[in-house]
Structures are given as structure tokens and as C-alpha cells.
Amino acid sequence: MSTGPLTLAKITWTHPQSGEVQEYVLMEGATASIGRQAGNDICIPEQHVSRQHAVISYRDGIFMIADSGSANGTFVNDVKLEQAFPLASGDVIRLYVPELRFSAAVSQEDEANAARSGTLITATINTGQGRLIITSGPQEGQAIPLLLKKVTIGRATNKADWEIGLQDPSVSRPHARLERINDNWVVFDLGSSNGTMVNDVVVNEKGRVLRDGDMIIFGKTHVLFRAG
């Protein structure tokens, strides 16, 4: 009997101009970033889609979808997302115009086809490294590798001495700190004016352990955390 990760879901998208069908298969524990920019796990090259638009992450046995601070919003069954939403088989994800279909019916043939085409999305291995991808604002799409064990985040100013500067007036000087503890990244708020949130939950000075696919909000800036 196999003890490896299960194949749990698939996402299908049909390009409206070419009619080409793309199918992405999600394994247990997978995180899938969705956006117009190349480098996303699911790339949707359509003008209404933000460079970093949404993220699907595996949480406690289900796949959750969250908007990444996109310009035009993310909808599930025509309801605009205001917070992370649990996906069920048959749900239609709409990125303002393009539609993706989420299904929990995955065959061995689906998995084999996805493996051949490079659209099989597996869980990220936590190596203790990590990176932040800015998903909203003037720095949208910028990826920041976490190379130090402790990183401070604050508003970008001429006199800033923190490692990551965000071009957002709602971000404090400084705002938050990320620290690698036992190969896990933990985010701490530093008493910022507008707060730090992870997956819509407020972070305090005690900190919050980050998992692959977590959405962090510093002030009004949305950031995607990727582990490994």
C-alpha cells in the first residue's frame, strides 16, 4: 500500500481565444500560486489577471483559496472573496474574467498526464529557506529571498536601516520582523500602526509560525510566503 502523498484535486482552465485546455493536478500538501506573471504555479496570461492574483493552499485536509491583493478580485461561484475560502468539488474560480474549475475527481491518467506536461503541483519541501513574493502595490511580483536568520520589514525611506523596505505609506518604520527558529519562519509584529495579519488573523508580538502559501499583510501590502 502506498504511503506517499495523495492526489487530491485538479484545476482546469480553457483559454478563451485558443480553446486550449490546461489541467493542473494538486497533490496533498500542495500550494499553487495563480497569476499572469511567469513563475506562478498556474500561469493565466490574461489582461484582467494580476501578476500575482490568488493562492490555493492545503490547510488541515482541505484546499483554501485566498486573493493576493489583486486589482480586480477573485470570485468563487460568483461571490467575491473577502477572506480565505474552502474549495469544494465543482466550484468555479473566476479571476474577474477567466474561469477555472476545481474538482476533487482525479484519475491516475490525470496524474500521469500532469506529470508528463509539468502541471503536477506537489508539496514544497521545507529546507529552512524561504522567500517573500509581493503580490500588491508598486513592487508587485518582486521576490525577496530570506537569506538571513532575522529580517526586519518596514517602510522604504532614505534613512531606513531594515533589510526589506516596502513602498507603502501604511507600513510602519519599522513594521515587523521575520525570524528563522528551528527551520521555521516566524513573523512578529513590532507594534505597527496598521498591524500585521496572516491569513486574515492578526499577528502580535508573540509571533506566528508561517507555512508555505500563507498570505501576510503588512499595512496594505499583500505578501505571499513560500517555504523551501
Side-chain angles (χ1 to χ4, degrees):
M1 180 179 295
S2 174
T3 58
L6 302 174
T7 306
L8 296 182
K10 65 180 177 182
I11 295 173
T12 306
W13 179 63
T14 303
H15 196 290
Q17 279 76 45
S18 67
E20 180 184 358
V21 178
Q22 291 187 321
E23 190 171 86
Y24 303 85
V25 172
L26 304 179
M27 302 292 287
E28 181 181 9
T31 293
S33 61
I34 308 172
R36 188 179 75 242
Q37 187 175 40
N40 280 288
D41 299 296
I42 300 177
C43 182
I44 308 293
E46 205 272 350
Q47 61 179 344
H48 297 92
V49 177
S50 294
R51 283 175 287 184
Q52 303 285 336
H53 198 108
V55 60
I56 295 174
S57 52
Y58 188 75
R59 296 287 181 265
D60 302 321
I62 58 175
F63 283 105
M64 306 283 294
I65 183 168
D67 185 78
S68 300
S70 66
N72 293 316
T74 301
F75 302 75
V76 176
N77 303 329
D78 283 329
V79 177
K80 188 176 182 179
L81 295 185
E82 301 297 338
Q83 57 186 7
F85 183 83
L87 289 168
S89 190
D91 280 347
V92 177
I93 303 165
R94 183 162 59 84
L95 309 180
Y96 193 66
V97 172
E99 290 187 349
L100 301 83
R101 297 189 176 273
F102 180 85
S103 173
V106 188
S107 67
Q108 290 184 334
E109 183 180 3
D110 291 335
E111 183 178 346
N113 289 339
R116 282 194 296 270
S117 63
T119 56
L120 181 66
I121 303 174
T122 59
T124 299
I125 298 173
N126 182 13
T127 61
Q129 300 298 314
R131 61 193 166 108
L132 302 177
I133 302 172
I134 300 174
T135 64
S136 67
Q139 295 161 275
E140 180 189 349
Q142 181 180 344
I144 304 170
L146 299 174
L147 303 177
L148 305 173
K149 289 188 177 182
K150 188 180 295 186
V151 177
T152 302
I153 298 169
R155 189 190 315 168
T157 66
N158 291 334
K159 297 181 179 180
D161 60 356
W162 30 87
E163 289 77 19
I164 299 176
L166 299 177
Q167 298 170 19
D168 178 354
S170 69
V171 170
S172 295
R173 302 175 288 180
H175 193 104
R177 183 178 78 251
L178 277 84
E179 187 172 347
R180 194 171 74 185
I181 302 173
N182 297 327
D183 284 339
N184 289 311
W185 281 97
V186 183
V187 60
F188 302 88
D189 187 78
L190 298 179
S192 64
S193 297
N194 294 307
T196 301
M197 300 182 72
V198 174
N199 301 337
D200 303 314
V201 177
V202 175
V203 175
N204 57 29
E205 68 281 356
K206 295 181 180 179
R208 166 78 177 261
V209 176
L210 295 173
R211 296 188 291 179
D212 185 47
D214 278 349
M215 285 301 310
I216 314 171
I217 301 178
F218 303 109
K220 294 182 180 178
T221 298
H222 292 68
V223 176
L224 173 64
F225 171 77
R226 297 307 308 260

PDB file of all heavy atoms in Angstrom, residues 189-216:
ATOM      1  N   ASP A 189       4.907  41.068  14.860  1.00  0.00           N
ATOM      2  CA  ASP A 189       4.587  42.474  14.661  1.00  0.00           C
ATOM      3  C   ASP A 189       5.400  43.301  15.655  1.00  0.00           C
ATOM      4  O   ASP A 189       5.614  42.892  16.795  1.00  0.00           O
ATOM      5  CB  ASP A 189       3.091  42.729  14.864  1.00  0.00           C
ATOM      6  CG  ASP A 189       2.703  44.154  14.503  1.00  0.00           C
ATOM      7  OD1 ASP A 189       2.586  44.443  13.303  1.00  0.00           O
ATOM      8  OD2 ASP A 189       2.548  44.972  15.422  1.00  0.00           O
ATOM      9  N   LEU A 190       5.858  44.464  15.220  1.00  0.00           N
ATOM     10  CA  LEU A 190       6.704  45.313  16.065  1.00  0.00           C
ATOM     11  C   LEU A 190       5.942  46.541  16.557  1.00  0.00           C
ATOM     12  O   LEU A 190       6.489  47.639  16.635  1.00  0.00           O
ATOM     13  CB  LEU A 190       7.956  45.728  15.289  1.00  0.00           C
ATOM     14  CG  LEU A 190       8.885  44.590  14.846  1.00  0.00           C
ATOM     15  CD1 LEU A 190      10.069  45.138  14.062  1.00  0.00           C
ATOM     16  CD2 LEU A 190       9.355  43.770  16.041  1.00  0.00           C
ATOM     17  N   GLY A 191       4.669  46.334  16.895  1.00  0.00           N
ATOM     18  CA  GLY A 191       3.862  47.445  17.376  1.00  0.00           C
ATOM     19  C   GLY A 191       3.491  48.409  16.270  1.00  0.00           C
ATOM     20  O   GLY A 191       3.359  49.616  16.503  1.00  0.00           O
ATOM     21  N   SER A 192       3.296  47.899  15.057  1.00  0.00           N
ATOM     22  CA  SER A 192       2.993  48.747  13.910  1.00  0.00           C
ATOM     23  C   SER A 192       1.649  49.446  14.059  1.00  0.00           C
ATOM     24  O   SER A 192       0.763  48.978  14.780  1.00  0.00           O
ATOM     25  CB  SER A 192       2.984  47.901  12.627  1.00  0.00           C
ATOM     26  OG  SER A 192       1.940  46.933  12.687  1.00  0.00           O
ATOM     27  N   SER A 193       1.498  50.545  13.353  1.00  0.00           N
ATOM     28  CA  SER A 193       0.256  51.326  13.445  1.00  0.00           C
ATOM     29  C   SER A 193      -0.925  50.597  12.824  1.00  0.00           C
ATOM     30  O   SER A 193      -2.040  50.621  13.358  1.00  0.00           O
ATOM     31  CB  SER A 193       0.440  52.675  12.746  1.00  0.00           C
ATOM     32  OG  SER A 193       1.437  53.439  13.387  1.00  0.00           O
ATOM     33  N   ASN A 194      -0.710  49.949  11.685  1.00  0.00           N
ATOM     34  CA  ASN A 194      -1.811  49.329  10.948  1.00  0.00           C
ATOM     35  C   ASN A 194      -1.831  47.810  11.019  1.00  0.00           C
ATOM     36  O   ASN A 194      -2.682  47.175  10.408  1.00  0.00           O
ATOM     37  CB  ASN A 194      -1.776  49.787   9.486  1.00  0.00           C
ATOM     38  CG  ASN A 194      -2.067  51.267   9.360  1.00  0.00           C
ATOM     39  OD1 ASN A 194      -3.070  51.752   9.858  1.00  0.00           O
ATOM     40  ND2 ASN A 194      -1.169  52.000   8.711  1.00  0.00           N
ATOM     41  N   GLY A 195      -0.895  47.239  11.748  1.00  0.00           N
ATOM     42  CA  GLY A 195      -0.961  45.818  12.032  1.00  0.00           C
ATOM     43  C   GLY A 195      -0.378  44.899  10.965  1.00  0.00           C
ATOM     44  O   GLY A 195      -0.117  45.294   9.827  1.00  0.00           O
ATOM     45  N   THR A 196      -0.158  43.663  11.400  1.00  0.00           N
ATOM     46  CA  THR A 196       0.308  42.576  10.545  1.00  0.00           C
ATOM     47  C   THR A 196      -0.704  41.444  10.652  1.00  0.00           C
ATOM     48  O   THR A 196      -1.149  41.116  11.746  1.00  0.00           O
ATOM     49  CB  THR A 196       1.694  42.082  10.996  1.00  0.00           C
ATOM     50  OG1 THR A 196       2.630  43.169  10.944  1.00  0.00           O
ATOM     51  CG2 THR A 196       2.190  40.944  10.116  1.00  0.00           C
ATOM     52  N   MET A 197      -1.070  40.845   9.519  1.00  0.00           N
ATOM     53  CA  MET A 197      -2.030  39.752   9.513  1.00  0.00           C
ATOM     54  C   MET A 197      -1.478  38.580   8.712  1.00  0.00           C
ATOM     55  O   MET A 197      -0.777  38.773   7.713  1.00  0.00           O
ATOM     56  CB  MET A 197      -3.377  40.198   8.929  1.00  0.00           C
ATOM     57  CG  MET A 197      -4.040  41.340   9.682  1.00  0.00           C
ATOM     58  SD  MET A 197      -5.651  41.781   8.992  1.00  0.00           S
ATOM     59  CE  MET A 197      -6.636  40.376   9.515  1.00  0.00           C
ATOM     60  N   VAL A 198      -1.813  37.362   9.159  1.00  0.00           N
ATOM     61  CA  VAL A 198      -1.501  36.155   8.405  1.00  0.00           C
ATOM     62  C   VAL A 198      -2.799  35.400   8.201  1.00  0.00           C
ATOM     63  O   VAL A 198      -3.466  35.021   9.177  1.00  0.00           O
ATOM     64  CB  VAL A 198      -0.475  35.268   9.144  1.00  0.00           C
ATOM     65  CG1 VAL A 198      -0.279  33.944   8.401  1.00  0.00           C
ATOM     66  CG2 VAL A 198       0.861  35.987   9.277  1.00  0.00           C
ATOM     67  N   ASN A 199      -3.175  35.222   6.940  1.00  0.00           N
ATOM     68  CA  ASN A 199      -4.439  34.538   6.616  1.00  0.00           C
ATOM     69  C   ASN A 199      -5.607  35.160   7.385  1.00  0.00           C
ATOM     70  O   ASN A 199      -6.433  34.466   7.973  1.00  0.00           O
ATOM     71  CB  ASN A 199      -4.343  33.039   6.894  1.00  0.00           C
ATOM     72  CG  ASN A 199      -3.238  32.376   6.103  1.00  0.00           C
ATOM     73  OD1 ASN A 199      -2.818  32.876   5.059  1.00  0.00           O
ATOM     74  ND2 ASN A 199      -2.751  31.252   6.596  1.00  0.00           N
ATOM     75  N   ASP A 200      -5.652  36.492   7.389  1.00  0.00           N
ATOM     76  CA  ASP A 200      -6.743  37.274   7.988  1.00  0.00           C
ATOM     77  C   ASP A 200      -6.749  37.242   9.519  1.00  0.00           C
ATOM     78  O   ASP A 200      -7.707  37.711  10.139  1.00  0.00           O
ATOM     79  CB  ASP A 200      -8.113  36.803   7.468  1.00  0.00           C
ATOM     80  CG  ASP A 200      -8.212  36.868   5.955  1.00  0.00           C
ATOM     81  OD1 ASP A 200      -7.805  37.905   5.395  1.00  0.00           O
ATOM     82  OD2 ASP A 200      -8.681  35.897   5.331  1.00  0.00           O
ATOM     83  N   VAL A 201      -5.704  36.698  10.142  1.00  0.00           N
ATOM     84  CA  VAL A 201      -5.614  36.665  11.601  1.00  0.00           C
ATOM     85  C   VAL A 201      -4.518  37.628  12.040  1.00  0.00           C
ATOM     86  O   VAL A 201      -3.401  37.595  11.513  1.00  0.00           O
ATOM     87  CB  VAL A 201      -5.320  35.244  12.123  1.00  0.00           C
ATOM     88  CG1 VAL A 201      -5.165  35.251  13.637  1.00  0.00           C
ATOM     89  CG2 VAL A 201      -6.424  34.284  11.707  1.00  0.00           C
ATOM     90  N   VAL A 202      -4.843  38.478  13.009  1.00  0.00           N
ATOM     91  CA  VAL A 202      -3.886  39.487  13.478  1.00  0.00           C
ATOM     92  C   VAL A 202      -2.708  38.824  14.192  1.00  0.00           C
ATOM     93  O   VAL A 202      -2.882  37.911  15.007  1.00  0.00           O
ATOM     94  CB  VAL A 202      -4.581  40.488  14.426  1.00  0.00           C
ATOM     95  CG1 VAL A 202      -3.571  41.459  15.027  1.00  0.00           C
ATOM     96  CG2 VAL A 202      -5.677  41.253  13.686  1.00  0.00           C
ATOM     97  N   VAL A 203      -1.502  39.293  13.866  1.00  0.00           N
ATOM     98  CA  VAL A 203      -0.274  38.810  14.492  1.00  0.00           C
ATOM     99  C   VAL A 203       0.130  39.800  15.594  1.00  0.00           C
ATOM    100  O   VAL A 203       0.075  41.019  15.397  1.00  0.00           O
ATOM    101  CB  VAL A 203       0.861  38.696  13.462  1.00  0.00           C
ATOM    102  CG1 VAL A 203       2.173  38.298  14.140  1.00  0.00           C
ATOM    103  CG2 VAL A 203       0.496  37.696  12.381  1.00  0.00           C
ATOM    104  N   ASN A 204       0.558  39.272  16.738  1.00  0.00           N
ATOM    105  CA  ASN A 204       1.019  40.152  17.818  1.00  0.00           C
ATOM    106  C   ASN A 204       2.510  39.945  18.059  1.00  0.00           C
ATOM    107  O   ASN A 204       3.200  39.279  17.279  1.00  0.00           O
ATOM    108  CB  ASN A 204       0.207  39.910  19.096  1.00  0.00           C
ATOM    109  CG  ASN A 204       0.263  38.463  19.565  1.00  0.00           C
ATOM    110  OD1 ASN A 204       1.252  37.754  19.322  1.00  0.00           O
ATOM    111  ND2 ASN A 204      -0.789  38.012  20.233  1.00  0.00           N
ATOM    112  N   GLU A 205       2.994  40.489  19.158  1.00  0.00           N
ATOM    113  CA  GLU A 205       4.431  40.404  19.450  1.00  0.00           C
ATOM    114  C   GLU A 205       4.892  38.988  19.773  1.00  0.00           C
ATOM    115  O   GLU A 205       6.093  38.694  19.768  1.00  0.00           O
ATOM    116  CB  GLU A 205       4.791  41.349  20.610  1.00  0.00           C
ATOM    117  CG  GLU A 205       4.236  40.956  21.969  1.00  0.00           C
ATOM    118  CD  GLU A 205       2.779  41.321  22.167  1.00  0.00           C
ATOM    119  OE1 GLU A 205       2.206  41.959  21.253  1.00  0.00           O
ATOM    120  OE2 GLU A 205       2.213  40.986  23.221  1.00  0.00           O
ATOM    121  N   LYS A 206       3.936  38.076  20.057  1.00  0.00           N
ATOM    122  CA  LYS A 206       4.299  36.682  20.330  1.00  0.00           C
ATOM    123  C   LYS A 206       4.620  35.917  19.056  1.00  0.00           C
ATOM    124  O   LYS A 206       5.226  34.850  19.108  1.00  0.00           O
ATOM    125  CB  LYS A 206       3.171  35.985  21.099  1.00  0.00           C
ATOM    126  CG  LYS A 206       2.937  36.564  22.488  1.00  0.00           C
ATOM    127  CD  LYS A 206       1.818  35.819  23.208  1.00  0.00           C
ATOM    128  CE  LYS A 206       1.589  36.399  24.604  1.00  0.00           C
ATOM    129  NZ  LYS A 206       0.484  35.710  25.303  1.00  0.00           N
ATOM    130  N   GLY A 207       4.173  36.422  17.918  1.00  0.00           N
ATOM    131  CA  GLY A 207       4.554  35.849  16.644  1.00  0.00           C
ATOM    132  C   GLY A 207       3.619  34.781  16.121  1.00  0.00           C
ATOM    133  O   GLY A 207       2.730  34.284  16.822  1.00  0.00           O
ATOM    134  N   ARG A 208       3.837  34.418  14.854  1.00  0.00           N
ATOM    135  CA  ARG A 208       3.039  33.400  14.181  1.00  0.00           C
ATOM    136  C   ARG A 208       3.958  32.595  13.270  1.00  0.00           C
ATOM    137  O   ARG A 208       4.685  33.151  12.447  1.00  0.00           O
ATOM    138  CB  ARG A 208       1.932  34.091  13.361  1.00  0.00           C
ATOM    139  CG  ARG A 208       1.215  33.250  12.335  1.00  0.00           C
ATOM    140  CD  ARG A 208       0.167  32.319  12.940  1.00  0.00           C
ATOM    141  NE  ARG A 208      -0.535  31.584  11.891  1.00  0.00           N
ATOM    142  CZ  ARG A 208      -1.734  31.923  11.402  1.00  0.00           C
ATOM    143  NH1 ARG A 208      -2.373  32.977  11.884  1.00  0.00           N
ATOM    144  NH2 ARG A 208      -2.297  31.207  10.456  1.00  0.00           N
ATOM    145  N   VAL A 209       3.952  31.260  13.439  1.00  0.00           N
ATOM    146  CA  VAL A 209       4.741  30.382  12.572  1.00  0.00           C
ATOM    147  C   VAL A 209       4.131  30.379  11.181  1.00  0.00           C
ATOM    148  O   VAL A 209       2.909  30.243  11.021  1.00  0.00           O
ATOM    149  CB  VAL A 209       4.802  28.954  13.143  1.00  0.00           C
ATOM    150  CG1 VAL A 209       5.552  28.035  12.189  1.00  0.00           C
ATOM    151  CG2 VAL A 209       5.468  28.952  14.511  1.00  0.00           C
ATOM    152  N   LEU A 210       4.972  30.532  10.152  1.00  0.00           N
ATOM    153  CA  LEU A 210       4.499  30.593   8.781  1.00  0.00           C
ATOM    154  C   LEU A 210       4.551  29.233   8.110  1.00  0.00           C
ATOM    155  O   LEU A 210       5.468  28.443   8.351  1.00  0.00           O
ATOM    156  CB  LEU A 210       5.339  31.592   7.982  1.00  0.00           C
ATOM    157  CG  LEU A 210       5.238  33.054   8.420  1.00  0.00           C
ATOM    158  CD1 LEU A 210       6.244  33.900   7.651  1.00  0.00           C
ATOM    159  CD2 LEU A 210       3.820  33.588   8.209  1.00  0.00           C
ATOM    160  N   ARG A 211       3.563  28.985   7.249  1.00  0.00           N
ATOM    161  CA  ARG A 211       3.525  27.780   6.432  1.00  0.00           C
ATOM    162  C   ARG A 211       3.504  28.169   4.957  1.00  0.00           C
ATOM    163  O   ARG A 211       3.050  29.255   4.601  1.00  0.00           O
ATOM    164  CB  ARG A 211       2.292  26.935   6.770  1.00  0.00           C
ATOM    165  CG  ARG A 211       2.302  26.404   8.199  1.00  0.00           C
ATOM    166  CD  ARG A 211       1.161  25.413   8.429  1.00  0.00           C
ATOM    167  NE  ARG A 211      -0.140  26.064   8.406  1.00  0.00           N
ATOM    168  CZ  ARG A 211      -1.290  25.413   8.564  1.00  0.00           C
ATOM    169  NH1 ARG A 211      -1.299  24.104   8.725  1.00  0.00           N
ATOM    170  NH2 ARG A 211      -2.433  26.068   8.539  1.00  0.00           N
ATOM    171  N   ASP A 212       3.972  27.272   4.122  1.00  0.00           N
ATOM    172  CA  ASP A 212       4.018  27.539   2.688  1.00  0.00           C
ATOM    173  C   ASP A 212       2.637  27.960   2.190  1.00  0.00           C
ATOM    174  O   ASP A 212       1.634  27.304   2.448  1.00  0.00           O
ATOM    175  CB  ASP A 212       4.482  26.279   1.942  1.00  0.00           C
ATOM    176  CG  ASP A 212       4.668  26.534   0.461  1.00  0.00           C
ATOM    177  OD1 ASP A 212       5.291  27.553   0.111  1.00  0.00           O
ATOM    178  OD2 ASP A 212       4.191  25.710  -0.343  1.00  0.00           O
ATOM    179  N   GLY A 213       2.585  29.090   1.470  1.00  0.00           N
ATOM    180  CA  GLY A 213       1.324  29.565   0.929  1.00  0.00           C
ATOM    181  C   GLY A 213       0.596  30.557   1.805  1.00  0.00           C
ATOM    182  O   GLY A 213      -0.457  31.064   1.412  1.00  0.00           O
ATOM    183  N   ASP A 214       1.127  30.866   2.988  1.00  0.00           N
ATOM    184  CA  ASP A 214       0.477  31.844   3.850  1.00  0.00           C
ATOM    185  C   ASP A 214       0.478  33.228   3.188  1.00  0.00           C
ATOM    186  O   ASP A 214       1.469  33.642   2.586  1.00  0.00           O
ATOM    187  CB  ASP A 214       1.189  31.937   5.208  1.00  0.00           C
ATOM    188  CG  ASP A 214       0.758  30.852   6.174  1.00  0.00           C
ATOM    189  OD1 ASP A 214      -0.239  30.152   5.896  1.00  0.00           O
ATOM    190  OD2 ASP A 214       1.419  30.701   7.224  1.00  0.00           O
ATOM    191  N   MET A 215      -0.639  33.955   3.345  1.00  0.00           N
ATOM    192  CA  MET A 215      -0.740  35.326   2.882  1.00  0.00           C
ATOM    193  C   MET A 215      -0.518  36.254   4.071  1.00  0.00           C
ATOM    194  O   MET A 215      -1.215  36.161   5.078  1.00  0.00           O
ATOM    195  CB  MET A 215      -2.114  35.596   2.272  1.00  0.00           C
ATOM    196  CG  MET A 215      -2.318  34.987   0.890  1.00  0.00           C
ATOM    197  SD  MET A 215      -1.125  35.565  -0.359  1.00  0.00           S
ATOM    198  CE  MET A 215      -1.212  37.345  -0.158  1.00  0.00           C
ATOM    199  N   ILE A 216       0.466  37.125   3.958  1.00  0.00           N
ATOM    200  CA  ILE A 216       0.790  38.085   5.011  1.00  0.00           C
ATOM    201  C   ILE A 216       0.406  39.479   4.524  1.00  0.00           C
ATOM    202  O   ILE A 216       0.645  39.817   3.356  1.00  0.00           O
ATOM    203  CB  ILE A 216       2.291  38.066   5.348  1.00  0.00           C
ATOM    204  CG1 ILE A 216       2.809  36.629   5.494  1.00  0.00           C
ATOM    205  CG2 ILE A 216       2.570  38.858   6.621  1.00  0.00           C
ATOM    206  CD1 ILE A 216       4.322  36.532   5.604  1.00  0.00           C
TER     207      ILE A 216
END
